[in-house]
Amino acid sequence: MASPLQQLDAKHHLHPFTNTGSLNNKGARVITKADGVYLWDEQGNKIIDGMAGLWCVNLGYGRKELADVAYQQMNELPYYNTFFQTTHGPAAKLAEAIASVTPGDLNRIFFAGSGSEAIDTLMRLARHYWAIQGKPYRNILIARENAYHGSTLGGTSLGGMSGMHKQGGPLIPNIAHIRQPYWYGEGGDLSEEEFGLQAAQALEEKILEVGPDNVAAFFGEPIQGAGGVIVPPSTYWPEIQRICRKYDILLVADEVICGFGRTGNWFGSQTYGIEPDMMSMAKGLSSGYVPIAAVAVGDRVANALAAHDEDFNHGYTYSGHPVAAAVALKTIDIMKDEGIVERVGNDIGPYFQKTLRESLADHPLVGHIDGIGLVAGVALMMDKASKTPFPSHVDIGTICRDHCFNNGLIMRATGTRMLLSPPLVISHEEVNEMCEKARHCFDLTLESVRKLGVEI
Ligand code: PXG
């Protein structure tokens, strides 16, 4: 029997990335409250949130300090815009706080309301930069297959998700895609290092194909998140960096998932030695408590904008929203005070990677585990020795995800990869619990596929 909330939801709520008809038949799971790394649903089940919401609740749930600053800011100045030569305390102070943690010369900050808006901003900014250099023909943007850069038309076009490209087109022109650096899935007989170089050299091939003088920028997530936690080989990013420099192409890091400590440094770019010209951030910027995103711009582009005597005709009503900015500012303060990033890098990140491997690496379903810091992807295989995937009628990811959900653990499934990205404040005991639950749910998944007649 559907609960009253499920009934309302089924009647009026269109869900993102969801087959609405089939969801309405079974009813959405209703989450009622949360604390620390745990969620509770309408039936009172306690669930450990292995995904930090949607890769965002880095400080965990129930942080009263964040609620308090939102309340205070709403009373003091709930809204004012940052257009028309105005600013306010939260926006100015947050810009400074972000610049204090971004690497290199990424010191100028533009605000947006979501990662998708940040990406759209970067797409326009990259093209605008070349236009004001007198080279408007330099407008091709290059990204990767299976990259996720958001759901606006800009983000959809730039991202490399084939399921998204099929819908709502035509897409934005002058965007090209190259292969992703997924060694376990696509590396064949090459060593990880060789494959990393080869995957990066696809960028040079694409640049030569479309003409170096036509390319504005390359966009990439340091680790592809929604694509399945695709951790690049160590050789990949240095080669991408070299190629961008060689052809004078802007390098843009999409830090929406990797930013704010996920990989053990403030930004994934630092973990992989990337020196981007611009980057996007969202999610962890406010620990998911309020919607806010930002773009950090380095000197090259910022100075060109400053020297160009014309408005950049771009902005959102909620660019630098005072309440969101106040919460983000407090988030950064807490991260610094509690040494959250250092803890991910030196303590809980390595502990999580070790414990996850001890729990799952020898499991019959597990082909390979990728991960760093507090993010991981587990490839499920029918036969791990011969790397044989499951036949397409066995939706292994969904089977596993449902077992997790029904047994008090949230893991996300992307195709045949199971993902974890827990709150950065997770304790050692909670990591143990999460990994034990994962092992149990993988056992249940194995039973289920055997019942479907798969010999394994
Ligand atoms: N870039 C990256 C790298 C992202 O991960 C966006 C841009 C867009 O951000 P907004 O705030 O507009 O959603 C994202 C968002 C998933 C999932 O299922 C991942 C995201 C969003 C929704 C679902 O893994 N990432």
Side-chain angles (χ1 to χ4, degrees):
M1 230 327 248
S3 75
L5 274 177
Q6 286 176 314
Q7 288 173 26
L8 284 184
D9 195 81
K11 207 161 166 198
H12 295 293
H13 186 183
L14 278 174
H15 288 250
F17 281 92
T18 297
N19 177 333
T20 300
S22 91
L23 174 68
N24 290 349
N25 286 335
K26 64 175 192 180
R29 178 172 294 229
V30 181
I31 302 296
T32 51
K33 62 172 188 172
D35 190 36
V37 301
Y38 295 100
L39 302 164
W40 281 263
D41 70 10
E42 220 180 13
Q43 282 77 40
N45 295 309
K46 183 178 176 189
I47 307 157
I48 187 162
D49 185 3
M51 284 303 295
L54 211 39
W55 324 77
C56 53
V57 187
N58 288 358
L59 295 179
Y61 300 94
R63 287 276 186 165
K64 193 167 174 309
E65 315 96 287
L66 297 180
D68 287 344
V69 295
Y71 178 76
Q72 283 157 18
Q73 187 58 46
M74 277 201 191
N75 282 318
E76 199 170 306
L77 178 70
Y79 178 77
Y80 200 71
N81 67 71
T82 52
F83 288 47
F84 319 131
Q85 311 194 351
T86 54
T87 193
H88 45 68
K93 287 182 197 158
L94 179 60
E96 193 270 339
I98 293 174
S100 77
V101 295
T102 49
D105 64 2
L106 294 160
N107 291 324
R108 251 62 75 87
I109 312 300
F110 185 96
F111 290 113
S114 68
S116 301
E117 287 179 5
I119 287 293
D120 274 37
T121 301
L122 285 164
M123 293 170 75
R124 294 197 66 210
L125 203 47
R127 287 174 166 175
H128 181 59
Y129 167 79
W130 285 111
I132 63 182
Q133 305 298 301
K135 297 183 177 174
Y137 46 86
R138 262 193 108 130
N139 59 36
I140 293 178
L141 308 174
I142 304 179
R144 279 93 56 89
E145 290 160 8
N146 195 37
Y148 187 74
H149 295 299
S151 271
T152 49
L153 192 51
T156 299
S157 304
L158 185 70
M161 296 286 175
S162 50
M164 294 175 76
H165 286 180
K166 282 197 307 215
Q167 300 173 343
L171 301 174
I172 291 173
N174 289 12
I175 293 173
H177 293 93
I178 61 170
R179 72 178 310 169
Q180 59 174 339
Y182 181 25
W183 174 69
Y184 177 72
E186 301 172 13
D189 295 332
L190 295 179
S191 73
E192 203 169 343
E193 290 72 23
E194 285 166 340
F195 175 73
L197 281 180
Q198 208 179 80
Q201 281 153 7
L203 175 60
E204 188 155 23
E205 286 156 27
K206 184 59 83 180
I207 291 168
L208 295 173
E209 182 192 318
V210 300
D213 238 14
N214 299 322
V215 181
F218 174 75
F219 283 68
E221 304 155 77
I223 293 173
Q224 285 153 259
V229 184
I230 309 298
V231 177
S234 61
T235 47
Y236 181 76
W237 277 109
E239 183 67 359
I240 291 280
Q241 181 86 57
R242 184 191 68 76
I243 295 166
C244 287
R245 290 218 171 104
K246 179 171 173 192
Y247 296 98
D248 198 26
I249 285 164
L250 295 173
L251 177 50
V252 185
D254 183 348
E255 294 270 5
V256 167
I257 283 179
C258 293
F260 294 91
R262 179 65 49 202
T263 67
N265 287 293
W266 278 91
F267 291 91
S269 292
Q270 293 156 316
T271 302
Y272 290 99
I274 311 166
E275 293 177 14
D277 294 291
M278 302 194 279
M279 58 165 64
S280 55
M281 62 198 77
K283 297 191 188 275
L285 169 58
S286 64
S287 198
Y289 276 58
V290 287
I292 185 166
V295 159
V297 181
D299 286 345
R300 178 177 177 184
V301 175
N303 291 343
L305 279 181
H308 180 71
D309 188 16
E310 187 193 19
D311 291 355
F312 175 42
N313 294 315
H314 180 83
Y316 308 102
T317 303
Y318 300 129
S319 285
H321 190 287
V323 177
V327 173
L329 190 58
K330 189 71 187 172
T331 301
I332 295 177
D333 280 352
I334 295 174
M335 290 188 71
K336 287 181 177 173
D337 287 351
E338 297 185 6
I340 301 274
V341 179
E342 295 73 20
R343 182 173 169 272
V344 176
N346 304 328
D347 173 18
I348 197 71
Y351 182 75
F352 165 66
Q353 297 297 334
K354 178 171 134 298
T355 311
L356 186 68
R357 281 165 182 77
E358 284 167 5
S359 308
L360 290 180
D362 69 342
H363 194 278
L365 286 175
V366 173
H368 187 71
I369 302 177
D370 278 300
I372 188 165
L374 279 177
V375 62
V378 181
L380 302 181
M381 282 288 155
M382 187 165 78
D383 180 2
K384 61 204 260 178
S386 63
K387 274 201 192 177
T388 309
F390 283 91
S392 55
H393 72 273
V394 180
D395 191 354
I396 187 73
T398 306
I399 295 171
C400 187
R401 191 217 34 214
D402 288 348
H403 280 304
C404 292
F405 223 126
N406 294 331
N407 287 277
L409 168 66
I410 291 189
M411 270 184 107
R412 168 147 165 37
T414 290
T416 60
R417 292 175 67 78
M418 297 303 298
L419 317 182
L420 282 171
S421 173
L424 306 186
V425 295
I426 192 167
S427 69
H428 290 74
E429 296 69 39
E430 289 160 347
V431 163
N432 295 344
E433 180 194 335
M434 189 169 71
C435 293
E436 279 159 24
K437 284 210 160 117
R439 175 81 194 195
H440 173 61
C441 295
F442 279 40
D443 287 342
L444 296 174
T445 305
L446 187 59
E447 272 174 39
S448 295
V449 294
R450 284 184 175 142
K451 279 192 199 135
L452 288 174
V454 177
E455 277 179 40
I456 182 169

